[in-house]
Each structure stands twice: as structure tokens, then as C-alpha cells.
Amino acid sequence: MASHLLGIDLGAGSLKATIIGATGVVEGEASHPVTSHVPQFGWSEQDPAEWFEALCAAVPRALAAAGLTGRDITGIGVSAGAHIPVLTDEAGTVLRPAIMWNDQRSAAQAASLHEKAGAQIIGSSLNKVNPTWTLAMLAWLREHEPAVFSRARRLYLAKDYLRYRLTGTWETDYSDAVGALLADDAVKDWSPELAALAGWDLARLPRIVKPTDVVGGVTAAAAARTGLAEGTKVVCGSNDTTVEFFGVGAVEPGIGAVKLATAGVLFLATDGPSVNPPVSCYPHVIEGMFYTATGTNSCASAHRWLRDLMFAQGGFEAMDALAAGVKPGADGLLFHPYLQGERAPYWDPLLRADFIGMTISHSQAHFARALYEGIAFSIRDLLEAARGLGLQFGTIRLIGGGARSAVWRQIIADVTGLTIERTEAADASFGAALLAGIGTGVFNSPREAVAACVRLVDTTMPDPARHAFYSNLFSIYKDAQAALAPLNHRLHALVQSQAAAF
């Protein structure tokens, strides 16, 4: 009998497939890169066709790594970044590249929507509109690409489009409906009023089901491309933040997490919705629970950028080793990680990244240390803003690829002053596999899945002396951000005027 679960997660830089057994042990995994395109400053797009090609490359390699065939898979769960719209015509043809969650083009439309109906949007879909949300993206498309907008007959969120390529079905879960900023929380369904703000017909939205509901089976065509068995059950799944937070065992109110992936995200599990815009609020996998999420745009993406710029030969391992050899504070070198503008807590698409405090004595090692510290300061910025809203954090669990760095874990603990825990598996593909297990009856409930599969591997405690030092440095980081923000705006205006003139 089939006895394994497959989780598939589409990240901003790659698609990952993870196969686990019924006790949560990872039996095999593989990933395949996906490409982001930046047609203009502040824009970010991907080709949905490339997502499925990545799935077709990663899944067979994960099966091979586990020594399994498609017939050994009991169920499949899929996740992807929230907010990302894929528009198709009636035949399922994709009409344009998918606008990514970190795209900032719809700033003007977001401001207009907030001015027109801000209280209504927050009251209905729990969150304040900004360029991150699908509602603002649809408003931009209606204004700037009316031909595409009028031809569209279906809106898929990213994970739903990827799952459609496996099953041929069209649905979503409530967490992604909230993430689209098109939900009515009073009835846990789509809001006709919010959809109307962007001129979007409800007939062009999928039905809403539970993330653990089996929605279909792998089609013959998908089976031929992936090595999966035709008819293998596929659950709806949810967005990456929902499944990865669940996948590190955050099933009780008060548990927090930090995600070190393309973006840096701070989470907190809550009993019922905690609506504190601009901190985001999403439904949890466990009915009745919610979680807050607030994020910085550039985390692992900044890490990757510096690696490619300065450490092409040694890679991440060289960065880690060099950063470990530099004392806290990087001898006065500070980094603000605003390589793609910034979300929380500034919501400013025109912010720019910088290294400040450079002297002739600074080396590659200092830049590596400063990058780790700058992203940790950005996470503390999120933490302080959330605390200002009354949210309380204790122990934090780490999520994402950056959690593997012991140097970075210690820096985050020292900068935030929080105890940092790490689980054996800490990514969205693992959480997606757990959802598949719940939906196919391997586990009786979400809490049973966590009890069976989630295990801690280490704990990192903050050092009081280093925390005190970093608190002083954080105040300089904040003052520098405030001083440089108007200069960032002037630089943007100058570049824009130059583009028009030459």
C-alpha cells in the first residue's frame, strides 16, 4: 500500500518537493530553480509555465532520492506564495506573467483603494490594502492592461494554478482568499463588495474549500510528466506562510516564528483574528485560530545577492565562515536590506539598500557579517512594531533555508533577545505534506500530525552582553534609516527624470 506523503512548495527562487513518511521523517527531497523577471524597478514577475516545468523536474528526483515510485505516494499537498494572481482565459491559457508578492507597481492603486474603502477592506478581509495584495494588483491591471483584464475568466492564486496543472480542478482555501484581500470574514467566503472595488466578477473566482480537502487526483497527463501515479489524491493546500508556520508546530496561541527565506517574515499564532494593520492577519490551518505575519522584502534574496557579488567562488559556506570571524557590529559597518523597496514596517517601495560606515579596513568578512546583522535588525524592526500593537512574543521557531546557519541563528537571538528554536523540518513543502496526510486520513487532525512529525533539533539562547550592544547599534540603524529615506526618494525621482530625458 502507498505509505508516503508528497509536499510541493513553490518559492520565489525555486520549487521544492519533499517526501515524508508517517512519522515525519524526510525520505527524499529535490528542488529546481524558477526565474524572476524585473522589467522595471519595483516590478517582479514569473512565468507560471516555468513553475510546472520545475515541478516536473523536482518530483521525479525526490522520488528517486527516496527510492520510491509514484505508486508509493498516498497524497499530495501544494503550497506557494500568497497574493500571486494567475489570470487565464476559459481554456486555461495564461494571459500574462504572474505578478509576484514583492512587486510594488500598484502603490497608487493601493493608496486609492485605501482612501476610498479602507475601513471596509479591513473589516471584511482583515488587512490593509498595499501593493502586496491581489486586490491592488487587479486594480492596476484594470487600469494599465484592460485587454488582459477583460479577457480573463479565471483567477488562480499561485498554488492553485500549480495544483490545477496536476488535477485540472479550480478551487482555493480561505487563507488564500484572505490573502487576495477579497474575502468576507463574517461568512468565510468571497466578498462581492471587495471584488467590485477592482471590477472583478465573482464568477471569475474559485470555490473555497478547506486546505486539507481532497480536491482531485493526478491526471494521466500530469502523471506522465512527473512520475506520479494517475489518480493519486491531491489536497487543496494553502499559501506558504500558512503551511510552514503550521509545519514547525505552531498549533497553540502565543507561538511565534521567523522565516529566513526570500523575504523575512515574523509570525505569531493567535486565538481568533488579531486585526492590527499593517500587520497581516491570516486564518490558521486549525479552524478558529489565526496568525499574524509581518515581513521585510529582502532576506535570503539579499543573502544570495551578496553571495553572487562577493563570494562567487566560496558561496554561502565561505560567507558563513567569514562572518563568524568578525566581532558583533562588523566594526561599524551597517546594512539596510531594502534591495526591492520595503514592506513592514515602512511600506515604502522607494527605499533603497545601503552599506554605511565603510572604512578602508573593512573586508569581505565585514560585509558578510553586516548583511546578517542588517537583516536581523530588519526582523527586530518588525518585532518592535508588532509589540507596539500589543502582540507578545516568547520563544521563536525558525523557518526557511537561512535557519541552517548557526552564525545567523545566534545573531538573530542576540539582536532580538529571544530564544530561537529549530525543528528537523522547517519549510513549506514539509507543512504541505502534513496537510496531505490529514486530508488522506494518515493523521486524524492537525494537532495529531504535529505530535507525530514535528521534532526540535536545537535551541539558541541570546547572550545578554551582545544583546545590549546590539540594542545600541539598532538605535543607530533606525536613525540612519530615517535620515536616508528622503534621500532614497530624491534618488528615485532623479533616476525617473533621467529615464524620461535620455
Side-chain angles (χ1 to χ4, degrees), residues 401-417:
R404 291 191 292 268
S405 168
V407 178
W408 209 352
R409 293 198 301 272
Q410 188 64 60
I411 289 172
I412 292 169
D414 292 339
V415 166
T416 63

Side-chain angles (χ1 to χ4, degrees), residues 134-167:
T134 312
L135 176 63
M137 297 174 187
L138 291 175
W140 185 92
L141 287 166
R142 179 173 60 171
E143 181 176 342
H144 293 276
E145 297 183 9
V148 169
F149 190 89
S150 62
R151 285 181 60 202
R153 290 296 175 266
R154 288 186 173 187
L155 184 149
Y156 294 86
L157 283 311
K159 67 101 171 40
D160 302 320
Y161 178 77
L162 197 59
R163 193 188 59 254
Y164 159 74
R165 295 297 301 269
L166 284 175
T167 66

Side-chain angles (χ1 to χ4, degrees), residues 244-250 396-400 403-404 409 420-427 430 450 453-459:
E244 63 198 351
F245 190 43
F246 168 67
V248 293
I396 294 291
R397 294 188 173 181
L398 285 190
I399 299 169
R404 291 191 292 268
R409 293 198 301 272
I420 303 298
E421 295 179 339
R422 189 165 61 108
T423 58
E424 280 184 0
D427 61 34
F430 178 80
V450 166
C453 298
V454 178
R455 289 174 286 275
L456 293 179
V457 291
D458 55 45
T459 300

Side-chain angles (χ1 to χ4, degrees), residues 160-240:
D160 302 320
Y161 178 77
L162 197 59
R163 193 188 59 254
Y164 159 74
R165 295 297 301 269
L166 284 175
T167 66
T169 63
W170 183 39
E171 53 280 306
T172 196
D173 72 304
Y174 186 57
S175 190
D176 254 350
V178 168
L181 212 63
L182 292 168
D184 181 350
D185 193 57
V187 296
K188 304 296 188 288
D189 206 342
W190 298 111
S191 166
E193 293 79 14
L194 298 194
L197 290 173
W200 196 257
D201 190 339
L202 289 186
R204 296 191 284 178
L205 294 172
R207 68 189 180 103
I208 295 174
V209 300
K210 294 180 181 179
T212 54
D213 281 354
V214 175
V215 297
V218 174
T219 65
R225 294 289 309 279
T226 62
L228 296 167
E230 183 180 356
T232 304
K233 294 178 179 179
V234 183
V235 302
C236 178
S238 192
N239 59 65
D240 57 357

Side-chain angles (χ1 to χ4, degrees), residues 260-272:
L260 301 177
T262 300
V265 186
L266 176 70
F267 305 95
L268 180 68
T270 62
D271 185 9

